[in-house]
Amino acid sequence: GAVVSQHPSRVICKSGTSVKIECRSLDFQATTMFWYRQFPKQSLMLMATSNEGSKATYEQGVEKDKFLINHASLTLSTLTVTSAHPEDSSFYICSARRSGDNEQFFGPGTRLTVL
Amino acid sequence: GDSVTQMEGPVTLSEEAFLTINCTYTATGYPSLFWYVQYPGEGLQLLLKATKADDKGSNKGFEATYRKETTSFHLEKGSVQVSDSAVYFCALTLYNFNKFYFGSGTKLNVKP
């Protein structure tokens, strides 16, 4: 149990387009989900905290108009990278915090490449 | 600020060798400490955790002890297997398991 999925696993897009990444908790409810970005050979950096039914909280330095987050239900959060540029190319990982015991479970990540 | 530092990899070992991956932390409060493992193409999986000083987390032959005096949480395994090849992340969280701070990850390669 406690599986988190991400879709797509890999996406390549042209500069200027928008890309949506989905994060789903498959067998548990998550009132809070988190979006991380992982640069090559670097740490996972928290981008934003997503709470179901309310606005996301963004970390300092993360552009909220560029990285749109929606947490529409207790099992789904989406990250939309708007007007993507090559510098947005990265590995994006979500996690979901299970309601009750607060343990976090991580998705497999989405590799975004912007040409 | 709060942060985690772990040894750079890759670490290459022969099967049945002893493994140590060093991890030290800086925290403003009293963190919980974690080791996560990431196998190729998969998400991060919790390997073990410790929530207070002197606690020892253990799982699948891996161990790590929360050392407050040295602010460390080193990962050890007595005899590694090829199947242990993966990237290992040390992490901490404060206050209700909210925000996580991750180390940069250490890639382990175990050769038969």
Side-chain angles (χ1 to χ4, degrees), chain B residues 13-32:
Chain B
L13 297 173
S14 297
E15 205 164 23
E16 298 185 1
F18 184 86
L19 168 71
T20 300
I21 300 178
N22 291 336
C23 171
T24 56
Y25 68 89
T26 302
T28 52
Y30 299 97
S32 295

Side-chain angles (χ1 to χ4, degrees), chain A residues 36-88:
Chain A
Y36 294 83
R37 183 172 179 178
Q38 185 178 21
F39 294 97
K41 298 184 179 180
Q42 293 190 31
S43 304
L44 281 73
M45 301 298 294
L46 180 65
M47 298 174 64
T49 302
S50 165
N51 292 298
E52 186 265 339
S54 64
K55 291 183 178 180
T57 302
Y58 291 82
E59 295 297 302
Q60 190 173 10
V62 178
E63 299 177 60
K64 61 181 181 181
D65 294 331
K66 180 160 189 66
F67 299 100
L68 300 179
I69 291 172
N70 182 272
H71 194 153
S73 75
L74 290 172
T75 59
L76 173 64
S77 176
T78 59
L79 168 68
T80 301
V81 183
T82 61
S83 187
H85 291 283
E87 58 266 29
D88 299 324

